[in-house]
Amino acid sequence: MRRNVRAVLLDGDHLVFLRRGWPGGPSYYETVGGGVEPDDADLEAALRREVMEEIGATIGPVTEFLTVTDPGERVTVVRHYFFADVLNMDLTRRNGPEMGDPDIGDFSPVRVALEVPAVASLELQPPELADYLRDHVRSWRA
């Protein structure tokens, strides 16, 4: 089993996602995050490390709101989704291993209005997360 941590990040009246894609192919959107490493003290420590690596941000308190299990063919992946506020973000602090990989494709942070139509218009993966966000974005705006 492999564990991943992912963050739905609130930055003012916007959500922060990553736009992913490769030249000539379609783009899709996903949350910031990645795999839990052996050196991570716990899920929250892994999440904070991933957020810094991928978008150079520090975040406030985290709340887990969704877990998605993908049995996969070779290994089961359990994704833990957390909600957190962005305290500060500086893209020059990005330092994850994906930043130096020329085969990674587009890996750009994007801010999306905290509104149902804006979130619904994204090709957000996985579908379970997209459904959850469409159902709950109004309450987060409040």
Side-chain angles (χ1 to χ4, degrees):
M1 179 174 66
R2 190 172 71 212
R3 294 186 310 165
N4 274 306
V5 290
R6 317 270 335 154
V8 173
L9 298 171
L10 181 61
D11 187 13
D13 58 354
H14 288 80
L15 294 169
V16 178
F17 295 107
L18 290 173
R19 180 180 24 241
R20 302 295 310 274
W22 290 264
S27 291
Y28 65 96
Y29 296 83
E30 67 180 6
T31 51
V32 174
V36 176
E37 301 292 334
D39 292 343
D40 294 324
D42 54 24
L43 295 177
E44 183 176 338
L47 183 69
R48 291 180 184 285
R49 176 185 50 76
E50 285 288 341
V51 169
M52 180 56 73
E53 286 179 1
E54 293 185 353
I55 64 170
T58 56
I59 56 177
V62 302
T63 302
E64 187 170 359
F65 67 90
L66 179 68
T67 302
V68 176
T69 301
D70 179 9
E73 289 183 25
R74 303 176 107 191
V75 65
T76 297
V77 178
V78 178
R79 291 181 187 86
H80 300 270
Y81 289 90
F82 295 84
F83 184 71
D85 289 315
V86 172
L87 299 178
N88 60 64
M89 182 168 52
D90 179 350
L91 296 179
T92 65
R93 296 187 303 197
R94 296 170 82 184
N95 63 2
E98 47 282 307
M99 299 307 122
D101 185 348
D103 295 327
I104 198 72
D106 187 13
F107 197 77
S108 304
V110 294
R111 295 176 79 234
V112 176
L114 187 59
E115 298 174 358
V116 173
V119 172
S121 72
L122 300 176
E123 183 62 39
L124 186 60
Q125 296 297 323
E128 297 91 341
L129 175 65
D131 293 343
Y132 186 95
L133 291 182
R134 280 191 299 273
D135 291 346
H136 291 86
V137 73
R138 278 189 193 93
S139 64
W140 289 345
R141 186 165 180 84

